[in-house]
Every structure is written in C-alpha cells, then in structure tokens.
Amino acid sequence: MRFALLTTVVAIGALACGKKGSDQNQSQMQSAPPAAPGAATSTGPVVEVKMTGNGSTRAAFEPSSITIPAGATVRFTNVAGGPHNITFWSDSIPAGGAAALNAGMKNTVDNLSGPFLTQPNETYEVSFANAPKGTYKGYCTPHLTLGMKIAITVQ
C-alpha cells in the first residue's frame, strides 16, 4: 500500500513538472528502439482493454477480466479519467511470470509497473510472449482505492 501511495505521489509530481517532459516521453514511447536480442516479441493477437473513469469517483478496466492465448499482447488505452497505468502484483502471477512480464513491458516506471498514460487515446502494450499459463492480477496505481483492478488469464 505504501508503494502504491509513493508511486501515485511521484506520478502527480511528474505531471506537475510541465508539458515539455510529457512531450519527450511520448516521442520516446512512439519511436521506441528495436527490441534487444532475446527480448520478448509478440507472436499472437492484440487484445484491447480500455481504461476509463471520471478522475475522482469511478475508474475501471473494461473489461476487468480477460482470457488471452499464449503469446498475445494486451493494449491498454486511456479513454478517460487518467492518469492510468498497469501494475501487476508480483505475488499474484504464476511462477516465472515476472521475468516474462518484465521482458514484455517497455518504458516501465518500476518492476512490473507500466508508465502513466495521461493523454486521451494514449496506449501501452504488454506482451505476454513466453508468459506461463495462469492468471495475472493487476491494478491501476492511481485508482487502486477506486477498485480499478484486472485479471488476465493466459491459456
């Protein structure tokens, strides 16, 4: 819980630092360097998950529970009520899942924690290439107290 609070405070502070840094982050995310040898690359379908809310009393992943085939990529899209991100609980994923997720998550802000999406229609993708079968439970750091959680089951 302390980590979630600290991460939220850092994210809000980063947003307050100005638009220039945000523009730099967006351009870095849009023109990401090629994957390093041995990095996870998606070979399966892309599954869309919307991140919604009103910014103060309601926030959700839509859908909040999905089942994907092995090797799929999940694309998270900030629709409204951001900033949003995806963070996975390290103790709520299958054995060996952390290494696969770390390989499939680029531009992370922390271990198993994606960047904050602040602009409408901004996206972040998580590749589940080489991810073991099982359920991966995650949440949106700024909106955990509003119950913004997701369960992703890899078949």
Side-chain angles (χ1 to χ4, degrees):
M1 185 59 125
R2 288 181 188 163
F3 172 74
L5 178 60
L6 176 62
T7 305
T8 302
V9 170
V10 169
I12 292 170
L15 289 173
C17 287
K19 186 169 174 57
K20 182 177 178 186
S22 174
D23 290 344
Q24 290 172 344
N25 287 341
Q26 283 181 354
S27 66
Q28 287 172 353
M29 286 180 9
Q30 291 170 353
S31 60
T41 56
S42 179
T43 57
V46 175
V47 179
E48 303 280 343
V49 174
K50 295 177 182 177
M51 304 162 108
T52 64
N54 63 9
S56 59
T57 61
R58 183 180 49 81
F61 288 105
E62 295 178 8
S64 62
S65 178
I66 59 173
T67 300
I68 62 173
T73 295
V74 178
R75 178 180 298 137
F76 295 92
T77 302
N78 178 19
V79 175
H84 293 297
N85 82 327
I86 178 63
T87 300
F88 291 95
W89 277 294
S90 60
D91 61 349
S92 296
I93 57 178
L101 280 180
N102 280 323
M105 295 177 74
K106 305 302 178 209
N107 301 322
T108 58
V109 295
D110 199 6
N111 190 35
L112 301 176
S113 186
F116 292 91
L117 306 181
T118 59
Q119 301 299 315
N121 300 315
E122 189 174 9
T123 63
Y124 181 70
E125 294 185 352
V126 177
S127 170
F128 283 80
N130 303 317
K133 293 180 181 181
T135 301
Y136 295 73
K137 294 181 181 179
Y139 60 95
C140 173
T141 303
H143 299 111
L144 179 58
T145 58
L146 296 178
M148 189 169 176
K149 300 176 189 174
I150 190 167
I152 301 170
T153 302
V154 177
Q155 291 184 328

